[in-house]
Amino acid sequence: MLYMRKLYNAPFLLILLLFAVQSSNAQNTRPKIGLTLSGGGAKGIAHIGVLKAIDSVGLKVDYVTGTSMGAVVGGLYAAGYNADEILDIAKTLDWTSLLSNDPPVNSLNLKEKEDFGHYFILPLIRGKLALKKGFIESNELWLKLAELYYPYYEINDFSKFEKGFQCIAADVGTGKMVVLKNGNIVNAVRASMAIPSVFTPVEINGKLLVDGGIVRNFPVENVREMGADFVIGSDVSGDQDPVDKIQSPLDIISRLPFFNAVKDLEEQKKLVDIYIDYPLGNYGTSSFSAEEEIIKIGLAKGKELYPKIKRLKDSLDLIYGKEIIEKRVQKKDSVFISQYDIKGIAAYEKPAFVDLIDFVPNSYYTANQLGTSIRSAFSTRAFTKINYSLVPVEPGKAKIIFDVEKAPTTFTRFGLHYNTSTGIALKTGFVKKGFLVPFSTTSFDVSIGENPRAKLGYGFYLTKDRKFTMELEATIETIDINTYNPEFSSTGLYNQVSQNTDFQIVWQPENNWALGFGTSLGYVAFEPKIISQIEANGNLRYMDTYLFLHHNTFNTPLYPNRGSDIYIKAGVVYNQNVDFTISQNGTELANNDSGTLSSSSYTQLRINFEKYFPINKNAFFVQLQSGMNFNYKQAIMNDFVIGGLNNVIRNQITFSGLPEASIFTASAISFKVGYQYAITNNLFVITKVNGLYYDFITSNFRLNTIPHQGIGYSLTGGYRTFLGPIEASLMYSDFNKRIMPYFNLGYILSLD
């Protein structure tokens, strides 16, 4: 047979088809059409363009082969999804979750979100590091594939799909190619895309399999062997990315195993009749953040390809008559699951697992129902994997097999933080799961640096549905705070030590809602290190009983572009033991013995509201912060401190334009508006304007004599990394009338 790499006009196409006719069969049978999709990581999303061209023409494809991302796209197309459906799927995928070991943010309750993404985590088993065979297991990827192939659970021979299908993997033990043509389609596709050392390998029939791209990234020969007489090949692999296009560690690691497949790729190209490549030189295998741009390139290529595919279809119809394409079988939304089995955990643990995922046999289940229950269980961090597969037992009934891997119960974690106010710190700690009671979490974290702090926590679920929790937490910090005169010049330096022991009962009816009450025992002390004109010295012990409400719908914890956050806390501070004096130039202005400062009870209210309005990938946002003490006859000790762009100090209300603790006050309200512009998926420019009004509750004792309102501004460049944000800012306010730099790296060990 004569194979041509590219077709340009109808005569060439007609000649080629005549050869295809002769080679396909001695009889006058319509040539079989094959489609091959290459691997290429994120670039593989562009394959959707050729699928759109094929569907638009109405050309019937008989066989599909694919490797890696080509297996993902091709498998869906072969099973029965059309191009438009695959395009809709691609647009809605959360690639951050799919390429991570973490559960999706929306599956976490508010307590679990507190430290999400704040640490680099290392699991421990018997005191030793327990590392997997790849960095990424991605339970979310397994679940998403299971959901997409849910309607086709009864098919384990891939040739029985709407279009015959094969995908390529590589055997870790021998380095040889493995052609996956039957079994569990989810396992097959996941194995084909398991980039060595990046994704964990997949075991199939006793073989440990990884990404097929290391042996055959463009499996044209395989689609020929399936019976294809005419092959359309979509190749997004291109040349190896030049060094200046490497964007991430994933790009470096993912390119190393594929050098040996380059020669095979050239041989495979010779077997293609219509060869399609794409102008994707500006994108790498990990460019999932550029999904929209890659889709546009793919769709543009599909439009360019349309005339060729149309000529092919018309020529075939001219020779053989119009082909009747059978109507697609409607996908099943639900499956009746009559039996179940659980692999990976002991028999005595299975009933608790069934309760955890709220599974009831002899019931109908949709993929979404199973996925929601499993994600909820996975969010407890008690498991590193909860997958499932369906096995038909009789017509209309299935057995579900859960594949479960328990997480190590102990892990250590590390983080790094720097802030203009608090200096640099190394965060380290450990977490123990299941201490004393199942599904409990014990944690201890310490921040070692210029201003050390530590936190010890213990929490567990009170009810089986995990809606009620009890939390115990003890914190301590010591921090040096600059003090400022009425002209906002730094005049002194104080050391603040605070301790807090907190008890909470929390009701979480939904993942994004929490309502609770608590009681805390607090201690705070101030000691001057560089004495200013006004000197404060002493300590305070107190009790605080409160109610709180928290609601959070941010789409991502860092640099969200949609969602809101509401936090309201109201309580009574009582049982105060005050030993505190305030002096000016050696003369006492106030102390607890004179009655100027009082230990009587007072009420406190804190409010934070933040809302992001998406504008494509950008966002307009508003924020309201307020702290108010009522009938508060003290100063400094339980004041709210104003200033800074990040929450790093106890009782802080952020304000663009002033450094932290520029103002101490018993009542303040700050309103902020801003715009967040996404240059890339991880690089942002953020502008903020905020107004401040404070000391408006006249029943409180105050020392402030400066104006009670002002405006501030800030401009921030932020970059999202695995360590957290890297931010550089400039800020200005009409309080101090100075442009000031501000820097922040990572997340502080939060104590509030």
Side-chain angles (χ1 to χ4, degrees), residues 657-659 713-715 729-742:
L658 291 175
Y713 314 85
S714 67
L715 176 65
S729 305
L730 293 174
M731 56 184 187
Y732 173 86
S733 80
D734 59 3
F735 285 110
N736 56 11
K737 296 180 173 57
R738 290 196 298 270
I739 297 175
M740 305 181 64
Y742 189 93

Side-chain angles (χ1 to χ4, degrees), residues 219 390 444 482:
L390 296 178
F444 175 73
N482 288 309

Side-chain angles (χ1 to χ4, degrees), residues 604-671:
Q604 185 180 83
L605 177 65
R606 296 195 65 173
I607 299 172
N608 181 78
F609 170 76
E610 197 168 359
K611 176 72 174 178
Y612 283 76
F613 303 90
I615 305 172
N616 298 320
K617 289 186 176 182
N618 311 316
F620 170 78
F621 62 90
V622 297
Q623 183 181 23
L624 173 70
Q625 295 181 85
S626 181
M628 292 174 279
N629 292 329
F630 300 90
N631 296 313
Y632 172 76
K633 306 299 183 182
Q634 296 173 11
I636 299 178
M637 293 173 289
N638 264 334
D639 278 11
F640 301 101
V641 294
I642 311 299
L645 299 178
N646 300 84
N647 281 303
V648 296
I649 298 179
R650 173 179 171 271
N651 283 354
Q652 184 179 355
I653 295 175
T654 60
F655 181 77
S656 302
L658 291 175
E660 285 84 354
S662 292
I663 298 172
F664 283 72
T665 179
S667 57
I669 183 168
S670 173
F671 181 73

Side-chain angles (χ1 to χ4, degrees), residues 455-468:
K455 178 166 66 174
L456 174 66
Y458 181 75
F460 62 91
Y461 295 108
L462 296 172
T463 57
K464 186 184 297 186
D465 60 6
R466 297 186 294 122
K467 294 187 182 298
F468 284 89

Side-chain angles (χ1 to χ4, degrees), residues 38-45 47 67-74 95 192-193 288:
S38 78
K43 296 184 290 184
I45 304 171
H47 288 311
T67 298
S68 197
M69 185 59 79
V72 176
V73 177
W95 292 105
S192 183
M193 63 172 295
F288 290 97

